Amino acid sequence: QLTRVHELMEENRHEQALKRLQKIRPTETRKYEQALVQQTYGYLYAAREEYGLAIEAFEKCLALSVLPPTARKNTLYNLAQLQLASGDVTRAIVTLEQWFKLETQATPQAHALAGTAYAQVKRYAEAIKHLQQAIAAGSEAPETWYRQLLAVYYDAARYKAAARLLEQMTQQFPQRKAYWLQLSSVYRRLQDDAKSMAVLELAYQQGLLTSERELTELVHYYLYMDMPYQAGKRLDKALQEGAVSSTSQHWRLLSDTWLHAKETQYAISAMQRATELAQDAKSNLRLAQLAFQAEDWSLVIHAVDQAFQIGGLPDPGQARLLKGMAHYHRGDYQAARAVFEQALSDNSVQAEARKWRVYMALG
């Protein structure tokens, strides 16, 4: 009769199987038959996704203590899975611990199941032990096992272990951008900025860093590590390819980056793009200052004129001084004197303008 019930279950005829099973009523003295019936109820209810009834049936089966060792192990394992699925983690752990006492050759899947259960109740040492065994024993451990172990390491604040695992994960799953970013973040938490930067660079070289935020963060990290030339190369490429939006703010950042790398001409070119996009006096004044450093006197004069034309200069006196000095270095002394005369009316640069006027008169 039980064989026929199992045949119906294999055919997914669960309703007929249940009706036939309900007709089987072994006597109280025949405990082994009672255990088999309860075990079958467990399998049937589990197949019908009636987990509460399945758990109850398996527990009744095990309580009779008459199953042979192999059958008892299988029933315990199935019960543990159902208890976990229903959210009863504490009882699932008790059941699994009973199962491990009987099973001398636990599968990687069983260790992963136990590790997941222990993690849920914050028993991190046991969780780590079982998940490590699951990954080590499996020839091709599923990615989810690595993620579960990584989550346990984070929860247990074991960041060095997390870094070692993430190193392994980036080798196992090299196209998973998240693992590279997490590894860089863990190194940063461990105050190993050199490794953190190296990981980001490896991810960049593989084409994994694609979003504007990721690329600008890479640039800022290079600047933080005092590597402005690399920062400039990365940002310039991203802007040229459209990976980073062509905004005045980003071009100003590129200009500052090139200036920090002592690449003044590159800084000027980037600042020119910024002024084209922003059309504000402050940007033009900044361009004039950069051009002055490069001794590009014509550009200084043009940038200052543009700034005044736009209006709203926060420091017009400083702008006039720059323009006056640019005229002077070009040899256009009459224009320089005229600009310095204008600058005399600005208290903030009056003393400096007077010095230039005297200097030119002596000259």
Side-chain angles (χ1 to χ4, degrees):
Q1 292 182 71
L2 284 174
T3 299
R4 181 56 184 152
V5 170
H6 282 282
E7 288 173 353
L8 290 168
M9 289 167 59
E10 289 174 7
E11 297 169 6
N12 289 325
R13 297 165 63 186
H14 297 148
E15 194 64 35
Q16 295 92 321
L18 181 59
K19 288 179 181 179
R20 183 175 287 272
L21 186 58
Q22 288 170 339
K23 295 177 182 178
I24 304 174
R25 300 181 183 279
T27 62
E28 291 186 9
T29 57
R30 306 179 77 169
K31 290 188 176 182
Y32 181 66
E33 290 183 4
Q34 290 179 42
L36 290 180
V37 170
Q38 291 300 328
Q39 186 187 54
T40 305
Y41 269 119
Y43 289 132
L44 180 54
Y45 284 133
R48 288 162 59 94
E49 297 184 3
E50 297 179 62
Y51 300 135
L53 292 173
I55 290 170
E56 184 180 344
F58 281 138
E59 287 177 341
K60 288 179 179 178
C61 170
L62 291 166
L64 292 165
S65 301
V66 291
L67 290 179
T70 300
R72 181 173 177 79
K73 283 192 297 184
N74 291 339
T75 305
L76 281 168
Y77 193 75
N78 284 314
L79 176 59
Q81 288 181 305
L82 289 169
Q83 288 168 330
L84 270 178
S86 64
D88 195 346
V89 183
T90 303
R91 289 174 70 188
I93 289 173
V94 172
T95 304
L96 278 171
E97 288 174 345
Q98 293 177 34
W99 182 83
F100 274 106
K101 288 178 182 177
L102 298 173
E103 182 56 71
T104 56
Q105 294 182 325
T107 63
Q109 290 77 11
H111 283 296
L113 185 70
T116 301
Y118 282 120
Q120 290 184 49
V121 294
K122 303 186 187 303
R123 291 170 62 176
Y124 298 132
E126 292 103 320
I128 290 168
K129 173 187 171 184
H130 281 285
L131 287 166
Q132 284 178 337
Q133 285 181 280
I135 291 171
S139 56
E140 292 185 7
E143 191 174 348
T144 52
W145 296 358
Y146 287 92
R147 289 181 179 175
Q148 180 65 71
L149 181 55
L150 180 62
V152 175
Y153 282 144
Y154 280 141
D155 290 339
R158 293 183 57 175
Y159 299 114
K160 288 184 179 179
R164 289 193 296 270
L165 179 62
L166 281 164
E167 287 171 359
Q168 188 178 351
M169 291 169 74
T170 53
Q171 293 178 28
Q172 289 285 103
F173 317 103
Q175 295 308 309
R176 299 290 195 199
K177 175 169 62 177
Y179 302 150
W180 293 93
L181 296 178
Q182 284 177 283
L183 179 55
S184 176
S185 177
V186 170
Y187 278 139
R188 197 179 307 185
R189 182 184 285 270
L190 293 170
Q191 298 183 333
D192 194 336
D193 287 316
K195 282 188 177 180
S196 179
M197 183 73 258
V199 169
L200 282 181
E201 177 61 23
L202 284 171
Y204 174 83
Q205 293 293 346
Q206 294 180 80
L208 297 177
L209 304 185
T210 54
S211 75
E212 182 173 290
R213 178 180 176 182
E214 291 163 353
L215 291 168
T216 53
E217 283 182 354
L218 176 66
V219 168
H220 283 294
Y221 206 173
Y222 268 123
L223 290 172
Y224 170 74
M225 294 292 289
D226 198 24
M227 301 169 71
Y229 186 80
Q230 290 86 339
K233 293 287 285 184
R234 299 291 177 264
L235 183 55
D236 184 60
K237 184 173 185 292
L239 282 164
Q240 299 296 342
E241 294 177 351
V244 169
S245 57
S246 182
T247 65
S248 175
Q249 179 183 359
H250 288 145
W251 285 105
R252 277 198 297 268
L253 173 61
L254 179 59
S255 178
D256 291 341
T257 300
W258 283 134
L259 188 63
H260 188 36
K262 295 181 171 53
E263 296 285 351
T264 308
Q265 288 302 325
Y266 287 161
I268 289 171
S269 297
M271 200 64 215
Q272 284 177 308
R273 292 293 301 274
T275 58
E276 292 168 7
L277 292 166
Q279 289 295 308
D280 68 278
K282 188 176 180 181
S283 295
N284 277 278
L285 179 57
R286 178 64 178 152
L287 175 59
Q289 292 168 334
L290 291 174
F292 192 89
Q293 291 184 39
E295 299 183 1
D296 188 340
W297 313 122
S298 296
L299 182 56
V300 173
I301 295 165
H302 174 74
V304 170
D305 287 342
Q306 284 291 105
F308 277 111
Q309 184 177 339
I310 294 168
L313 257 176
D315 192 354
Q318 189 63 41
R320 288 192 176 94
L321 277 182
L322 283 173
K323 184 179 178 181
M325 289 186 285
H327 277 304
Y328 173 82
H329 288 296
R330 287 182 67 187
D332 192 347
Y333 304 126
Q334 184 176 351
R337 288 192 189 93
V339 175
F340 289 134
E341 286 292 334
Q342 288 179 320
L344 285 170
S345 62
D346 192 317
N347 292 332
S348 64
V349 295
Q350 191 178 69
E352 191 70 18
R354 187 175 290 113
K355 287 180 183 177
W356 270 100
R357 193 176 64 169
V358 171
Y359 175 73
M360 292 185 69
L362 293 174

